Amino acid sequence: MEPFLRSCKSYVVLGCLNHFEEVHVVLGNESCDLDSAVASVVTAFLLHQKKSELKCAVLPVLNIVRRDFRLRTEVTFFLQKTNIPFDLLIFKDEIDLEKLRKEKRLCLTLVDHNVLSADQQCLEEAVVRVIDHHKLECRDRRMRCDMTVEMVGSCCTLVAEKMFTTCPSVIDQQIAMLLYGTILLDTVCLLKEAKRATEKDINIVIKLETKLEKVTRIEVFEALQKAKFDLSGLTFEEMLRKDLKVVEGNKFRIAIPSIPGFLEDLKAEPKLSIAMEEFITQNNYHGLVIMTIHHNSETRKVQRQIAVYSPDPVIKEQIVNTLKGAQDPGLELEPLHLGISDLMSFNQRNIAASRKVVLPLVRSFIQESPVSSHSAKGSKIPTSSSYFFHSFHTNALTRVPTSFLKHNHKTKLSVSMFSRHKFIPKSNTTLTFLLKFLKILK
């Protein structure tokens, strides 16, 4: 593995990519968790073994900037343990993929995701292969791509299956351990109660164990779990960026960080509301969906929680409604009253519903929600009269936000405005509230 990674790095550092007619990049997802990082490196190594042409370079690329790599504590821990030198890794800010695409020399294999992020959509035409364990969301590639998409516990299960099927001789102890530890972490050590492991995950783990010596599942898993949950020295903003995915579309951006521990732990963060608002503003997000996971090493029980924040109450309410309304699978959310201002929090009883289940739900909110027509232009709370009517029309709010009253206390409403906004009161209660509201505006 090391000689392969060293040659890859030299191509980039020494500018040797110009010597190749084709550059085949294996790209993980933007969270760059252990599954994504290992799948990228091992898949690239496998493709390199199968490529006979000297005119093609195969490179693994981690889909984050190098400065953020230290935040992936379980990745840095495990790569160090398996003797993968950090300086031989290639990050997305170290290679110009767009330039390669324009030169018609880029081929792209996506691992651990099947939808490119908004800032990488320009690379879509270069995608030739997908290996993923998330719900298939981009279906128009089937005619031109080699698609391996299956809802197993870990993408590395699918990568390992390909290696055992096509090139088993290259699976040495280093590669076997990389795949083995990653699958155990993703499936919570194949724990039945976690409902993450499939029969294929279990079978692949058993196969990998034949390549390893003197290892026990629980020891490998707990070491990785401890490294993943190590947040010491990280700021709140860094905790959010540590394992972050962003859903984008229709000028909307929703951040979905995964944080080890409990939502209750966030109460210790000073000025939490201000910190969340700053995080959203600085990164031009419209909402924040925080997912937490806690694994009790003694009872081996898994607990999940989820919280939603947005400075726009309409967006926040509609995201919550989307999550609550999820079916097949449902999240089974129970209200959690933490006393944290502006944060709607829930215990998630369906612990099998990981972020790969939540991602398409949030994406559906972005694509289908009527709020996108006026709120996607910015993350500030709308203050026009149309906001008031939209709130009632979509049943998104039960009260008028104070920001509306503050900015519109002199607004004159008339019957013509009701007609223009096509607002029809649905009940006497709503009509009574409207009449009271009109008096306030006078």
Side-chain angles (χ1 to χ4, degrees), residues 35 112 133 150-157 182-183 185-187 196-198 200-201 354 356:
D35 195 25
D112 202 25
H133 68 132
E150 187 176 344
M151 297 287 281
V152 293
S154 172
C155 184
C156 279
T157 294
T182 304
I183 296 169
L185 183 63
D186 261 16
T187 61
R196 299 288 298 276
T198 65
K200 181 170 289 189
D201 296 300
S354 64
K356 71 180 183 181

Side-chain angles (χ1 to χ4, degrees), residues 120-134:
Q120 293 176 329
Q121 279 294 321
C122 58
L123 307 177
E124 175 60 38
E125 65 184 43
V127 178
V128 296
R129 182 179 287 103
V130 175
I131 304 174
D132 190 23
H133 68 132
H134 296 88

Side-chain angles (χ1 to χ4, degrees), residues 164-273:
F164 277 116
T165 302
T166 63
C167 208
S169 61
V170 304
I171 307 178
D172 57 16
Q173 285 200 22
Q174 183 186 41
I175 291 175
M177 179 56 78
L178 283 167
L179 295 167
Y180 181 73
T182 304
I183 296 169
L184 290 179
L185 183 63
D186 261 16
T187 61
V188 195
C189 203
L190 305 179
L191 183 66
K192 184 178 180 180
E193 290 79 2
K195 300 179 181 178
R196 299 288 298 276
T198 65
E199 185 177 350
K200 181 170 289 189
D201 296 300
I202 296 169
N203 291 337
I204 290 295
V205 164
I206 293 172
K207 273 191 171 185
L208 289 170
E209 285 174 336
T210 65
K211 302 281 185 177
L212 300 168
E213 297 178 359
K214 298 179 181 179
V215 297
T216 62
R217 296 177 187 178
I218 192 66
E219 286 181 0
V220 173
F221 168 73
E222 288 186 348
L224 283 169
Q225 188 86 338
K226 182 179 178 181
K228 181 177 181 178
F229 284 16
D230 182 10
L231 302 180
S232 58
L234 298 186
T235 66
F236 176 68
E237 188 261 350
E238 287 176 329
M239 283 192 289
L240 294 179
R241 287 196 293 117
K242 181 181 186 298
D243 187 2
L244 176 68
K245 292 189 178 181
V246 180
V247 179
E248 303 177 75
N250 292 336
K251 299 181 181 180
F252 253 90
R253 302 188 67 200
I254 306 295
I256 311 179
S258 178
I259 301 177
F262 294 104
L263 287 173
E264 287 85 347
D265 300 335
L266 298 181
K267 296 176 73 172
E269 177 67 25
K271 300 180 180 178
L272 180 63
S273 295

Side-chain angles (χ1 to χ4, degrees), residues 313-329:
V314 177
I315 293 175
K316 180 170 64 176
E317 189 77 16
Q318 289 197 351
I319 293 175
V320 168
N321 289 341
T322 299
L323 298 178
K324 282 182 175 179
Q327 295 180 351
D328 194 27

